[in-house]
Amino acid sequence: MKALIIGGSGFLGAELVRQAKAAGHTTAATYATKPGETSQAVWHPLDLRDAARLESVLADVNPQLVINASSGQADWAVTAQGPVRLAMAAAKYGIRLVHVSSDAVFSGARVHYDETCLPDPITPYGAAKAAAETGVLAVYPDAVVARTSLIIGDDGRSGHERAVHGLVAGTRDGVLFTDDIRCPVHVADLAATLLELASSDASGIHHLAGPDAVSRHELGTLIARRDGLDASRLPAGLRAHSTLPGALDVRLDSRATQRKLSTTLRGARQFCRAQA
């Protein structure tokens, strides 16, 4: 199978490239500013705001599968409109599409969210991701929209891992919130489940997050202990006392999707312990 990973130079994208290649897929990937470090993919520059360039990349690669793991943060043209443009092209050419979304589409008002819950974002980024979900499935109902949460790895490349190391070393200012709760997922598990969904007949909304609901401070403590760092050096605080926007407690319920998968989505307490 020919696979195209949009945003292949990012943290999740790089793992998708690695696993797609390992599975025997002919793999291409896109980047916004610079190509990824791996030679396992053929690299193409792409800005999802550029419809002509998107058509050109699809023509060059001629993929049977596209996974969109790109992130434009709160940029509406990239994060909201770009995926819809991609979905329209994928539907036009009959390309299998998996679009990665986020738990930021939820406000945290009800805490627990399964696939039947409607988005109620409270940040510009969350609003852009929610708009992308709606648009993608409106133009391509056979697509998969996969919501996920904090993505963690083993090598310190994720944002949260870098923050933990910096805080312990004293090279970074800030605190880890004890009231900001999510369901982290390991990047390898997430990539494997995205590829598994891609090879199935699944469509619509799916949740892909770990079963453990942990605060950012507890997650930081788990990472510090895993990496042999002094977890007592991690400063704690309350997000409710800060000026940062966003939900406090959002727990994606992934049980319905997990029952359809052979890949196990491990919880943070398990995958951090497994690497100890």
Side-chain angles (χ1 to χ4, degrees), residues 164 168 176 217 220-225 228-235:
V164 168
V168 170
L176 295 180
H217 187 270
T221 298
L222 291 169
I223 291 170
R225 290 173 177 168
L229 305 176
D230 183 358
S232 69
R233 294 180 59 86
L234 290 173

Side-chain angles (χ1 to χ4, degrees), residues 136-269:
V136 165
L137 292 178
V139 302
Y140 198 179
D142 290 336
V144 169
V145 170
R147 295 182 184 131
T148 191
S149 191
L150 293 179
I151 307 174
I152 307 299
D154 302 327
D155 55 6
R157 290 188 62 230
S158 72
H160 199 78
E161 289 170 284
R162 292 197 303 271
V164 168
H165 281 248
L167 288 168
V168 170
T171 59
R172 182 181 181 125
D173 294 328
V175 299
L176 295 180
F177 297 125
T178 57
D179 59 345
D180 187 335
I181 298 171
R182 298 293 187 273
C183 294
V185 64
H186 195 283
V187 65
D189 297 348
L190 178 57
T193 54
L194 289 169
L195 288 166
E196 188 175 342
L197 285 172
S199 65
S200 73
D201 60 357
S203 62
I205 301 288
H206 293 269
H207 284 184
L208 299 176
D212 293 341
V214 298
S215 71
R216 289 183 186 259
H217 187 270
E218 181 182 353
L219 178 60
T221 298
L222 291 169
I223 291 170
R225 290 173 177 168
R226 180 198 70 185
D227 295 347
L229 305 176
D230 183 358
S232 69
R233 294 180 59 86
L234 290 173
L238 291 174
R239 183 166 184 165
H241 292 169
S242 78
T243 59
L244 290 175
L248 288 179
D249 193 342
V250 176
R251 310 183 190 197
L252 291 187
D253 183 344
S254 303
R255 289 176 294 179
T257 297
Q258 179 66 87
R259 287 193 289 268
K260 304 173 185 176
L261 299 169
S262 60
T263 305
T264 298
L265 291 161
R266 295 169 293 167
R269 297 184 185 99

Side-chain angles (χ1 to χ4, degrees), residues 8 15 28 40 42 46 58 62 64-65 100 104-105 117 122-123 138 154 167 181 183 198 215 223 243 245 267 270 273:
E15 180 64 17
Q40 294 175 308
V42 177
L46 177 64
L58 292 177
N62 191 26
Q64 295 150 301
L65 165 66
V100 181
V105 302
C117 295
I122 56 175
T123 63
D154 302 327
L167 288 168
I181 298 171
C183 294
S215 71
I223 291 170
T243 59
Q270 180 182 2
R273 183 176 63 250

